[in-house]
Amino acid sequence: MRILAIETSCDESSFAILDIEQKDTQTYYTVRAHTIHSQIDIHQEFGGVFPALAKREHQKNLIPLFIKTLKDADMLVEEKRGISEKEKSIIEAGLTHEKELVPLYNTFLENYQLPIFDAITVTTGPGLEPALWVGVNFAKVLARLTGTPLVPVNHMEGHILSVITGGQTEFTLPQIPFPALALLISGGHTELVLMRGWGQYEILGKTLDDAVGEAFDKVARLLSLPYPGGPEVSKKAALAREKNIASEITLPRPMMHTKNYDFSFSGLKTAVLYSVKDKNLTEDQILDLCREFEQAVTDVLLHKTKNALQEYGIETLIIGGGVSANAYIRESFKTLCADSSIQLYVPSKDVTGDNALMIGIVGALTHIKNQATKKALIPLDEIKACGSLIF
Ligand code: KG4
Ligand code: ZN
């Protein structure tokens, strides 16, 4: 089975083409192509992602990136095939809100054969709704033109499954003991998710205000560091540790000891604001502040996760989302898991951020499950982008 996956939930346009094989109840994945086009340069001057701009950039970039992806997968066939009136009307009707994509789509059809997939999968949420819609409508048009099933995918489920690639182009779905626990830490989400199986999720707790990545980004902005701030704050924190800078600043660990699995990071950000406001911090004090901020976030994440692991007798922990790229957080969780014989899965560095590969992994599993249970496809008209989609 060959799958096309599309991701446009934030500021990355991404495609993946995967071959999936089911043998003896095992699922084998082969990545034929995986492309990501980041818009970071464009959003940087605004200090964050600007939804209308993200939408425009996705419209501009999807077709060129799709062509590159097909080429990488040896699926690009040039053919001056022209475009029928019916095809033209499918494109126009499907992209009434993404008009800039219409001429590009038309040119693609005029010059290339339509690629055939067994299924197309696309992120329908959560994320920035205008950005999500570009991918969703791109996918719906392709599904209509080729008569291919379209499978909607939850972006956060993608971040969970991103851990199975091991940085390889061939991998299988691991057999892990359930229940397992997933800690999702991204720019928009911070969640502890109890997994009763692949695809069976129960949210134990989530942030009541800012997400971890958002807090990193806001702290970076307070320190006039470029967007995305996570890696910048983390670099400064690492430097503080390396230089063994004296620790002068103490920040709170919000909600660390509350008897639930919810989080709150906006108070931490405000505490950083008060440490910075009207003060002329030296470079060493800034390094100290970044280290203490990263430590406070890590302490809270570790504490809550440890409690959940114990309460539910869990043997496997999965960490996913953009913030899982953070070296200090990764190391801290490695130590926690090594000390308590928990198997830890983290995404390889190429898939910590937003990408279509993780969407393809989930989409394939969903499609296989739907086929096995003879579940009807969701009609194309009913597939919609939803910025606040939950599991
Ligand atoms: O998952 P992701 O790529 O997008 C969303 O789905 O939100 O996460 C992006 C977030 C940003 O807030 C970014 O600052 C943060 O991940 N991030 C990091 C690091 N790398 C990315 N935060 C802390 N340390 C990092 N090394
Ligand atoms: Zn994400």
Side-chain angles (χ1 to χ4, degrees):
M1 177 164 73
R2 183 162 294 178
I3 294 240
L4 172 72
I6 306 161
E7 153 70 38
T8 64
S9 70
C10 191
D11 58 349
E12 261 100 22
S13 314
S14 179
F15 286 100
I17 296 175
L18 296 120
D19 285 342
I20 293 103
E21 215 183 323
Q22 287 277 100
K23 253 194 296 186
D24 311 326
T25 72
Q26 277 272 46
T27 310
Y28 294 85
Y29 292 90
T30 304
V31 184
R32 310 257 321 185
H34 184 210
T35 54
I36 303 176
H37 181 277
S38 169
Q39 306 172 2
I40 278 182
D41 292 356
I42 289 157
H43 295 285
Q44 233 157 17
E45 62 179 289
F46 301 98
V49 181
F50 205 66
L53 198 55
K55 173 180 169 166
R56 207 176 71 201
E57 285 299 306
H58 285 307
Q59 291 186 69
K60 208 167 78 187
N61 297 324
L62 275 186
I63 291 286
L65 194 64
F66 187 42
I67 292 172
K68 182 182 183 321
T69 314
L70 292 171
K71 201 166 170 200
D72 288 355
D74 276 332
M75 287 182 73
L76 187 69
V77 183
E78 278 187 52
E79 185 186 290
K80 296 267 176 247
R81 63 187 285 284
I83 177 166
S84 70
E85 284 309 311
K86 190 177 166 211
E87 288 170 336
K88 254 190 183 160
S89 67
I90 289 176
I91 293 171
E92 256 173 47
L95 300 169
T96 50
H97 298 288
E98 289 82 18
K99 284 207 173 13
E100 289 174 52
L101 192 47
V102 172
L104 293 162
Y105 226 122
N106 286 340
T107 311
F108 176 81
L109 254 70
E110 281 161 7
N111 292 292
Y112 298 100
Q113 267 182 20
L114 269 172
I116 298 304
F117 298 97
D118 296 291
I120 301 169
T121 84
V122 65
T123 309
T124 52
L128 301 174
E129 220 159 273
L132 285 163
W133 269 118
V134 185
V136 170
N137 282 334
F138 176 98
K140 282 166 100 165
V141 166
L142 192 61
R144 283 211 164 87
L145 289 169
T146 53
T148 309
L150 180 62
V151 182
V153 169
N154 182 306
H155 181 81
M156 299 317 290
E157 188 173 5
H159 277 305
I160 293 179
L161 270 293
S162 70
V163 301
I164 76 167
T165 75
Q168 306 295 314
T169 51
E170 291 186 17
F171 48 88
T172 56
L173 185 69
Q175 314 255 349
I176 61 169
F178 290 105
L181 186 72
L183 171 67
L184 294 175
I185 40 178
S186 71
H189 290 76
T190 303
E191 286 170 352
L192 270 170
V193 181
L194 185 68
M195 300 171 59
R196 304 249 179 230
W198 296 114
Q200 291 170 260
Y201 309 112
E202 180 192 329
I203 297 179
L204 296 180
K206 58 183 178 2
T207 182
L208 303 179
D209 39 59
D210 291 352
V212 179
E214 191 180 357
F216 266 100
D217 294 339
K218 285 178 175 171
V219 165
R221 211 173 307 155
L222 288 174
L223 297 170
S224 306
L225 299 171
Y227 175 85
E232 302 296 325
V233 171
S234 173
K235 261 186 243 161
K236 293 216 180 282
L239 197 57
R241 276 181 219 106
E242 195 187 306
K243 289 173 71 177
N244 210 5
I245 286 177
S247 141
E248 289 173 4
I249 295 168
T250 308
L251 295 171
R253 270 74 176 148
M255 289 186 72
M256 185 149 105
H257 295 291
T258 51
K259 298 259 165 284
N260 58 31
Y261 296 112
D262 288 334
F263 301 89
S264 164
F265 294 103
S266 83
L268 183 55
K269 169 204 67 194
T270 310
V272 172
L273 170 70
Y274 286 124
S275 311
V276 176
K277 210 173 152 203
D278 303 326
K279 293 197 183 93
N280 231 340
L281 296 187
T282 64
E283 182 55 22
D284 276 4
Q285 284 172 322
I286 290 175
L287 298 186
D288 178 27
L289 183 62
C290 289
R291 175 182 54 190
E292 172 63 2
F293 171 77
E294 192 173 65
Q295 189 64 55
V297 166
T298 307
D299 286 350
V300 174
L301 293 176
L302 278 174
H303 194 80
K304 293 258 163 170
T305 306
K306 205 170 153 185
N307 285 351
L309 290 169
Q310 278 168 359
E311 178 175 346
Y312 292 92
I314 285 166
E315 294 167 25
T316 308
L317 173 66
I318 289 172
I319 305 182
V323 184
S324 70
N326 183 290
Y328 189 71
I329 295 176
R330 278 169 99 101
E331 275 313 307
S332 306
F333 273 95
K334 253 188 217 163
T335 308
L336 169 80
C337 290
D339 290 348
S340 38
S341 304
I342 304 268
Q343 177 151 28
L344 175 67
Y345 285 89
V346 285
S348 64
K349 290 283 168 69
D350 55 330
V351 289
T352 53
D354 292 343
N355 68 86
L357 178 51
M358 66 186 193
I359 303 307
I361 294 171
V362 175
L365 279 188
T366 310
H367 192 55
I368 290 167
K369 197 157 65 179
N370 289 350
Q371 282 180 326
T373 56
K374 300 208 172 5
K375 190 170 168 203
L377 281 169
I378 303 172
L380 284 179
D381 284 341
E382 287 175 24
I383 296 182
K384 294 188 165 52
C386 173
S388 56
L389 189 70
I390 46 170
F391 284 128

